Amino acid sequence: MIVVLIGGSGSGKSEFAENIALQLNTGKLVYIATMQSFDEESKVRVKRHQKMRQSKNFRTIECYTGLANVKVAKNTTALLECMSNLVANEMFSEEGAKENTLVAIKRGITQLAEQTDNLLIVTNNVFEDGFRYDEETTRYMKLLGEINRWICQMADKVVEVVHGVPVEIKNISDSIWSGRNLDETHN
Amino acid sequence: MWLISGGAYQGKLEYVLTKKQISFDDIIDGENCDFQDLLEKPLVTHFHLWVKRMLLEKKDVAALVDQIIQENQDIIIIVNELGCGIVPIDAFDREYRETTGRICCRLAKDATEVHRVVCGIGMVIKHA
């Protein structure tokens, strides 16, 4: 099964994704970490995530670029955290795929999906602040948007996380989802 | 406690006022309210601006939020959803956005109801 978790910054999407990975897992748990820590702030951020998953028995694979090189064992549930960093790394870092980012990411995700029982992909909603950015950032937003659409089309389940609360977007019927149904909408 | 969230200018306050009868005198604004009001009044709007003020004053926001939840259990908190954009260049903007998000997760955990308002239309995303 492929599950996509999307949310803004500080939305609680990572913690929610980890808990869902634990519930889906019937074999081995792998955490694919994409964030490089260049400065103090990103180190703190990485530490916070490490601490959060400390007791959850993930094996961590660091993968800043070249997702297609990641190999996992049979019966793995993998959590990719997160697509927004991976795309930025591929586009802008020295070792990145640069103009071939879309192809590299698609190949990586396809191969990972084939190897895993469950693949959970965390991605970021960076699209709603209403600012116009420079050309490079705009290119990044467009590409992340395209990749998000592609993985969500493939996914069995897509969940938006709002303040730690799951909001179902696509095809969710399992009892492990504690979110409310859309037919409970109140006007 | 209820948490009402959504983007700016989505009609969150109007939405709440269709659900609850609250007089205008009892509505406080995060931009300028006293802390004591947060412990007593039934409805605060622009709560993210209060978070911002507390960060600028170097206060322990999480501890103050705990106190609000404990002492004003029926408060309705209206907040803007801030996290759905490009990571800001300015360090304080990043801290403000991230902290507000974490505080909202904390509030949503305790809230009996979480409503999300888009274009004036509310959706109950949590109902304890």
Side-chain angles (χ1 to χ4, degrees):
Chain A
M1 172 160 45
I2 299 175
V3 183
V4 176
L5 297 312
I6 185 161
S9 161
S11 63
K13 59 188 182 302
S14 303
E15 191 176 358
F16 184 78
E18 288 168 14
N19 293 336
I20 293 302
L22 288 181
Q23 291 184 55
L24 289 176
N25 180 42
T26 51
K28 299 185 178 74
L29 270 176
V30 165
Y31 183 95
I32 302 170
T34 62
M35 188 172 192
Q36 281 171 294
S37 38
F38 300 106
D39 55 11
E40 202 45 46
E41 192 176 321
S42 48
K43 275 179 196 149
V44 168
R45 186 169 280 269
V46 168
K47 281 238 167 66
R48 197 184 75 82
H49 279 240
Q50 283 170 344
K51 201 176 160 201
M52 205 159 71
R53 63 175 192 273
Q54 209 168 37
S55 59
K56 295 174 183 165
N57 292 319
F58 283 95
R59 180 169 77 90
T60 300
I61 298 176
E62 286 176 5
C63 173
Y64 307 133
T65 58
L67 186 65
N69 299 323
V70 171
K71 298 277 179 284
V72 298
K74 272 188 182 168
N75 304 119
T76 290
T77 291
L79 170 55
L80 175 70
E81 169 87 49
C82 63
M83 187 53 85
S84 41
N85 275 324
L86 187 65
V87 172
N89 295 343
E90 290 288 10
M91 284 181 80
F92 304 124
S93 81
E94 196 78 1
E95 310 78 28
K98 302 277 172 18
E99 64 275 11
N100 298 319
T101 294
L102 182 63
V103 174
I105 299 263
K106 281 189 173 180
R107 189 185 301 143
I109 290 292
T110 307
Q111 291 187 13
L112 203 53
E114 281 167 7
Q115 293 178 63
T116 49
D117 284 358
N118 302 296
L119 174 59
L120 291 91
I121 305 168
V122 173
T123 191
N124 215 306
N125 181 348
V126 300
F127 308 101
E128 296 181 13
D129 61 16
F131 294 120
R132 267 196 96 98
Y133 289 95
D134 59 275
E135 202 181 318
E136 226 169 42
T137 309
T138 306
R139 209 157 52 82
Y140 166 75
M141 290 168 77
K142 274 188 182 168
L143 190 52
L144 182 61
E146 185 174 351
I147 289 167
N148 281 352
R149 295 199 301 279
W150 179 73
I151 55 177
C152 288
Q153 201 171 22
M154 224 173 22
D156 300 280
K157 297 176 188 296
V158 180
V159 178
E160 183 181 11
V161 183
V162 182
H163 309 323
V165 179
V167 178
E168 308 160 348
I169 296 180
K170 183 181 173 183
N171 193 28
I172 289 154
S173 52
D174 267 311
S175 59
I176 61 165
W177 305 97
S178 55
R180 317 305 296 182
N181 290 320
L182 290 177
D183 57 18
E184 284 175 66
T185 300
H186 292 216
N187 291 321
Chain B
M1 182 246 303
W2 282 15
L3 181 66
I4 314 290
S5 178
Y9 310 113
Q10 296 303 304
K12 297 186 287 296
L13 179 59
E14 290 81 350
Y15 168 79
V16 169
L17 294 177
T18 65
K19 303 265 160 206
K20 295 269 184 186
Q21 283 208 319
I22 293 168
S23 90
F24 277 107
D25 298 338
D26 279 336
I27 302 171
I28 56 170
D29 192 322
E31 188 169 14
N32 51 34
C33 66
D34 297 330
F35 184 63
Q36 194 57 36
D37 283 342
L38 283 165
L39 302 178
E40 292 167 4
K41 297 286 189 179
L43 173 59
V44 58
T45 185
H46 303 136
F47 190 68
H48 52 289
L49 295 180
W50 176 80
V51 174
K52 189 178 196 173
R53 277 200 288 145
M54 294 305 107
L55 286 174
L56 287 168
E57 291 173 24
K58 311 265 185 237
K59 296 273 176 58
D60 183 349
V61 193
L64 294 175
V65 167
D66 284 345
Q67 196 183 341
I68 295 167
I69 296 173
Q70 275 166 20
E71 293 188 28
N72 193 358
Q73 294 183 359
D74 293 326
I75 191 172
I76 299 172
I77 297 174
I78 300 179
V79 70
N80 280 14
E81 222 179 316
L82 300 179
C84 298
I86 290 288
V87 179
I89 289 176
D90 180 74
F92 178 76
D93 288 347
R94 286 198 296 276
E95 186 193 4
Y96 163 48
R97 197 174 78 127
E98 173 93 18
T99 306
T100 304
R102 302 283 166 223
I103 295 284
C104 286
C105 289
R106 166 81 182 86
L107 291 170
K109 209 172 215 171
D110 256 51
T112 52
E113 292 190 15
V114 180
H115 298 235
R116 188 190 207 192
V117 181
V118 180
C119 302
I121 298 166
M123 186 166 95
V124 179
I125 60 172
K126 178 189 169 186
H127 188 98

